[in-house]
Amino acid sequence: MTALRIGVLSFAHTHALGYLSALRAMPDVDVIGSDPDGVSTGTTSDELRGRELAEALGVEYADSYADLFAWGPDAVIVTSENARHRELVERAAAAGVHVLCEKPLATTWEDGLAIRDAVERAGVLLMVAFPVRFASAFATLRATHEAGALGQLFSVRGANNGMLPLSRDWFTDPALSGGGALADHVVHIADLLEALTGSAPRTVTAVTNRVLHAERAGGGASADPAGGALPSAETGGLVTITYADGLIAAIDCSWSMPDTSAVWGGLTLDVAGTGGTVSLDVFGPAAHGVVAATGLPIEARYGADLDAVMLRTFLDAVRTGVQPQPDVRVGLRTLSIVLAAQESARTGRTVAISE
């Protein structure tokens, strides 16, 4: 089998490290990364950027995106800051290269539509990086619902909580991230609901605060071209969504895990239907302990590497030419929920989503 050539565009997102490591371990893949805007900020692999990170992982490196595309990739993974997804997807589409794009798809509706138009015009595949939908526990939930065992779904409570991202400052810079916890964490559960029901979101109501980590989630590091103050990133949020089929979902998207937590966070889902209820803890299986010298907790999670499963799904699609899920349509629907949530939090009103 001929090895696929996969490029990773930017190491800005923390997931880039995991994707590079997983791809390097696949025998049927040649991987190369490029991070021309990256600057190493520390001494650990989590903080390294650019060539230093690639060398630490044993991955080939291109000094520029032009050099990477000249290498002739079959597909690329876009792991830049959220606001830069559009330019990199458009560049890949223009080169006829398939794309796996980090979530959220974009930070504005205009950019999201431009991404859709670019890939459709070029006839290339685009998949959005939602690894949680590949969890075996979710597959079981989905199969149970499709078999009719839960009846009509009427209520979902979801929580996707995590630590405030520490090694990448852009997560709390709305000019680059598109927001705070809303942009970062609402989309994963919105994607699960999309996969579970296929129903269209109709209204969104959201409230946010900055009670936690307020001193570290200010207006962001990038300059405001207009010279004014940039908005602050929300660190806590609760989003309520109504769907066309009558389902009501509530999502806690807060960066509420303490810095001392043994793990970054987690994702839970409580689903209620007329025929029964299911509670799901995607990252629940773990071995727990305590470090004797410090008294700090240890939590070693086990189970399938969801990033690797998602990557393999994408690579299979690149080989076959069959569009994988979640696609750009799902990316736009989940983006519409985030944008509506941001408007609701800003105005204090429930916001309608049109088809």
Side-chain angles (χ1 to χ4, degrees):
M1 181 182 295
T2 303
L4 286 176
R5 292 189 166 199
I6 307 298
V8 177
L9 305 183
S10 178
F11 303 162
H13 201 290
T14 52
H15 288 170
L17 186 151
Y19 299 159
L20 287 164
S21 298
L23 291 167
R24 182 181 179 276
M26 295 179 182
D28 56 344
V29 171
D30 292 331
V31 59
I32 187 170
S34 185
D35 188 33
D37 300 320
V39 177
S40 294
T41 58
T43 58
T44 70
S45 59
D46 283 340
E47 296 172 323
L48 294 178
R49 292 284 303 271
R51 181 176 291 278
E52 290 182 78
L53 176 57
E55 290 177 349
L57 297 175
V59 172
E60 293 296 318
Y61 185 77
D63 288 319
S64 68
Y65 295 138
D67 289 344
L68 188 149
F69 280 106
W71 176 65
D74 298 294
V76 294
I77 303 176
V78 174
T79 41
S80 65
E81 299 89 346
N82 300 338
R84 293 173 174 158
H85 288 177
R86 174 181 174 176
E87 61 185 90
L88 294 179
V89 172
E90 288 181 331
R91 186 165 189 170
V97 174
H98 303 301
V99 180
L100 174 63
C101 184
E102 246 317 323
K103 57 78 188 170
L105 181 66
T107 59
T108 68
W109 191 245
E110 177 186 9
D111 283 357
L113 293 178
I115 286 173
R116 180 200 63 188
D117 293 345
V119 297
E120 290 184 351
R121 185 167 53 246
V124 300
L125 306 176
L126 183 140
M127 178 180 177
V128 185
F130 286 130
V132 180
R133 75 152 58 192
F134 298 97
S136 60
F138 178 71
T140 300
L141 167 62
R142 191 175 180 181
T144 300
H145 175 51
E146 290 175 351
L150 297 179
Q152 181 180 352
L153 301 186
F154 60 85
S155 174
V156 172
R157 291 182 300 161
N160 184 192
N161 302 134
M163 299 171 67
L164 179 78
L166 296 175
S167 60
R168 298 290 189 264
D169 289 342
W170 67 265
F171 275 96
T172 57
D173 183 347
L176 295 175
S177 65
L182 288 179
D184 194 29
H185 279 169
V186 168
V187 287
H188 279 298
I189 293 177
D191 173 62
L192 295 184
L193 296 176
E194 172 78 21
L196 187 63
T197 71
S199 184
R202 289 296 185 229
T203 67
V204 177
T205 308
V207 290
T208 62
N209 62 36
R210 294 178 65 245
V211 175
L212 291 172
H213 312 299
E215 72 286 354
R216 289 184 291 165
S222 64
D224 180 358
L230 286 167
S232 298
E234 70 282 350
T235 58
L238 183 64
V239 178
T240 303
I241 311 163
T242 65
Y243 285 83
D245 62 359
L247 176 69
I248 300 173
I251 302 174
D252 177 357
C253 59
S254 306
W255 285 327
S256 54
M257 297 295 289
D259 293 344
T260 54
S261 173
V263 294
W264 65 267
L267 189 148
T268 60
L269 209 61
D270 295 305
V271 180
T274 55
T277 62
V278 173
S279 293
L280 185 70
D281 185 348
V282 173
F283 300 103
H288 300 270
V290 176
V291 178
T294 63
L296 294 175
I298 299 174
E299 183 172 325
R301 291 174 170 174
Y302 55 86
D305 180 345
L306 301 186
D307 285 349
V309 177
M310 177 188 70
L311 288 170
R312 181 54 66 188
T313 300
F314 175 64
L315 297 178
D316 289 346
V318 172
R319 288 192 184 278
T320 63
V322 177
Q323 175 64 55
Q325 293 297 325
D327 60 10
V328 70
R329 180 188 64 85
V330 176
L332 283 171
R333 266 197 176 176
T334 54
L335 175 60
S336 73
I337 292 173
V338 171
L339 296 176
Q342 291 172 333
E343 181 181 347
S344 176
R346 185 172 61 252
T347 63
R349 299 193 300 268
T350 295
V351 175
I353 296 178
S354 58
E355 283 290 332

